[in-house]
Amino acid sequence: MNSSIRFWNRSAARYARRPIADQNAYLRKIALTQKYLNPEMDVLEFGCGTGSTALIHAPRVRSYLATDASSRMIDIARERKAGKDADNLRFVVATLEDMQHRQQAFDAILGLNILHLLRHPEVAIQRVFSMLKPGGVFISNTACLQDTCPYLKPVASLARGLRLAPYVNFLSRCQLERHLEYAGFQIDYRWVPETSKDVYFLIARKPESS
């Protein structure tokens, strides 16, 4: 188990209690995402955390598979699902690499607040592209800290060394877009919330001819 997974297992209960930092931006992202969802879709969300967003979106689609590498996060997500009418929603402990090996194709894949926590986000993006059906969409929300606070990089490194924080990749918006375009995506929608400039919300589409 790597150090980031250990961090999220330790932090899961505290994370679950933490309020959403920007409620208005969150609600807008929910609404934007749901414009791309329909009842015939099979959806994957990787890095789902404690499952709050999955529980909101699952009623809109045929099937919703939500995964996280942290077993404790998934435990909490399953507790939240208990008693709800969400038979089409499954929470599974898995990485994106694990899911790629299952060779299941999806109509939409969500990676929310996860790409900046990966050492190689470009590899994850390429995996997402390969797992989507032609015409499928990839919806991501990423902290692009290289654009807003690059001076925090040594602080983040120190905090990780002290086991106070997980690994953080200081991406820029341009970098993120280049990774998407290199993988073959066409970007449909871009948004930087006024109230949280370090966040970059993107909706990218796999061409129909892929």
Side-chain angles (χ1 to χ4, degrees):
M1 182 187 301
N2 70 38
S3 59
S4 286
I5 296 175
R6 285 194 294 269
F7 171 84
W8 290 115
N9 279 337
R10 290 195 311 269
S11 306
R14 185 170 67 251
Y15 178 87
R17 293 192 298 269
R18 192 173 67 190
I20 294 168
D22 189 338
Q23 183 73 17
N24 289 335
Y26 178 72
L27 292 175
R28 180 174 174 184
K29 282 179 269 191
I30 292 291
L32 288 166
T33 298
Q34 291 189 346
K35 288 182 180 180
Y36 285 79
L37 302 181
N38 67 62
E40 303 304 314
M41 297 178 81
D42 299 310
V43 176
L44 168 68
E45 181 184 346
F46 66 99
C48 71
T50 56
S52 299
T53 302
L55 285 162
I56 293 171
H57 290 319
R60 301 282 184 134
V61 300
R62 177 169 54 200
S63 72
Y64 199 109
L65 177 57
T67 71
D68 201 283
S70 164
S71 60
R72 184 59 191 131
M73 289 283 193
I74 292 297
D75 286 343
I76 295 171
R78 288 169 176 163
E79 289 166 10
R80 287 180 165 179
K81 180 192 169 189
K84 291 185 170 59
D85 183 16
D87 290 341
N88 68 329
L89 170 60
R90 287 192 298 139
F91 288 110
V92 175
V93 179
T95 65
L96 188 60
E97 183 179 9
D98 296 332
M99 295 309 304
Q100 187 183 30
H101 294 329
R102 296 190 185 190
Q103 298 183 333
Q104 180 180 358
F106 297 92
D107 299 288
I109 297 179
L110 280 63
L112 308 174
N113 305 310
I114 183 65
L115 291 177
H116 60 280
L117 299 177
L118 305 178
R119 288 188 178 275
H120 302 289
E122 70 280 6
V123 174
I125 289 168
Q126 289 163 14
R127 285 184 177 132
V128 168
F129 188 86
S130 71
M131 294 166 68
L132 278 170
K133 298 174 186 176
V137 293
F138 176 37
I139 301 172
S140 62
N141 189 68
T142 308
C144 291
L145 300 175
Q146 187 61 35
D147 291 321
T148 55
C149 43
Y151 53 86
L152 289 179
K153 196 168 186 177
V155 177
S157 181
L158 176 62
R160 179 173 171 269
L162 295 172
R163 298 185 177 182
L164 299 175
Y167 172 81
V168 177
N169 194 322
F170 276 62
L171 290 165
S172 70
R173 294 172 203 147
C174 286
Q175 248 183 323
L176 186 56
E177 289 202 20
R178 279 199 304 269
H179 291 330
L180 286 162
E181 289 164 357
Y182 180 80
F185 282 108
Q186 298 169 349
I187 297 174
D188 269 14
Y189 187 85
R190 303 168 173 86
W191 181 47
V192 178
E194 279 294 322
T195 47
S196 22
K197 296 273 189 191
D198 57 333
V199 172
Y200 200 26
F201 181 78
L202 288 169
I203 300 176
R205 187 178 295 278
K206 181 175 182 175
E208 290 281 356
S209 58
S210 295

